[in-house]
Amino acid sequence: MAKRLVYNAADHMAGKQSHDPYLRPSFSSRIRLKRLAWSICWALFYRLSPRPMHSWRAFLLRVFGAKMGSGCHFYPTSRIWAPWNLECSSHVTAGDGAEIYNPAPMYLGSHAIVSQGAYICGATHDYNDPGFPLLAYSTILGPYSWVCARAIVSPGVNLGEGAILGLASVATQDLTPWGVYAGMPARKIKERICTVDSEGTNHRSPLE
């Protein structure tokens, strides 16, 4: 799947003048105010909530525009940059310290897992442009995919259904369905055989 550029700051913030283009804001005042409100909410009500209160944190994310399926488990120190750009199917998990940087829309399929300290990066900068504008890409983590602890998903990279990104690995290209990837940059090392959902349904790799 080709990377899908959703937002180029150069197209939206061209009128913002600065003697140094590196100091020009990447987002509108409206977005920055929404970010401020969400940051205050996260610090006071999300981060300090008891670990078992997953429904409460899902509610807070919904208040700020996230689309959350049933049974999602987002732990207290997980961080979401823009809830209004987040869509989760059922039973999605974001562990403690997991960070979802999503200036552009991000979709997490059913039973997708982002483990402790993992980082899903949805944006970068155009380093060939003198203005160094921010570029934001949409991201999809397919159903039953797993980003292991401290792993990193690069901007515009998607994970297919059942794909696994191993411990502390860095994904720089799309991960194929039911593949297991590891390394820096991540390379496919084997196929995942199967996974079983909460109803006991066996989801088996199409290559098996």
Side-chain angles (χ1 to χ4, degrees), residues 1-8 27 85 101-107 120-127 133-140 153-158:
M1 181 185 299
K3 292 184 178 182
R4 191 166 76 89
L5 179 65
V6 174
Y7 180 89
N8 184 339
F27 301 97
N85 283 334
Y101 177 47
N102 60 333
M106 192 170 292
Y107 173 78
I120 314 300
C121 185
T124 183
H125 289 268
D126 185 353
Y127 49 79
L134 181 136
L135 307 175
Y137 295 85
S138 63
T139 303
I140 297 173
V153 177
S154 299
V157 171
N158 302 291

Side-chain angles (χ1 to χ4, degrees), residues 69-132:
S70 61
C72 289
H73 283 192
F74 278 59
Y75 284 85
T77 58
S78 61
R79 301 203 67 156
I80 295 82
W81 193 86
W84 50 92
N85 283 334
L86 180 66
E87 181 176 354
C88 296
S89 190
S90 60
H91 304 289
V92 171
T93 297
D96 278 318
E99 187 166 355
I100 295 174
Y101 177 47
N102 60 333
M106 192 170 292
Y107 173 78
L108 281 68
S110 176
H111 295 82
I113 299 172
V114 182
S115 287
Q116 296 91 333
Y119 184 59
I120 314 300
C121 185
T124 183
H125 289 268
D126 185 353
Y127 49 79
N128 290 317
D129 186 319
F132 202 58

Side-chain angles (χ1 to χ4, degrees), residues 161 177-179 188 191-195 202-208:
E161 180 180 8
W178 305 101
K188 190 174 186 178
E191 291 289 335
R192 184 179 183 183
I193 297 174
C194 68
T195 185
N202 192 17
H203 296 268
R204 188 169 291 274
S205 165
L207 298 181
E208 291 296 319

Side-chain angles (χ1 to χ4, degrees), residues 150-169:
R150 300 187 182 278
I152 298 172
V153 177
S154 299
V157 171
N158 302 291
L159 274 64
E161 180 180 8
I164 295 177
L165 180 62
L167 178 72
S169 299

Side-chain angles (χ1 to χ4, degrees), residues 12-27:
H12 296 269
M13 307 301 293
K16 301 293 184 180
Q17 300 299 321
S18 173
H19 69 282
D20 184 346
Y22 277 59
L23 302 180
R24 185 171 56 194
S26 295
F27 301 97

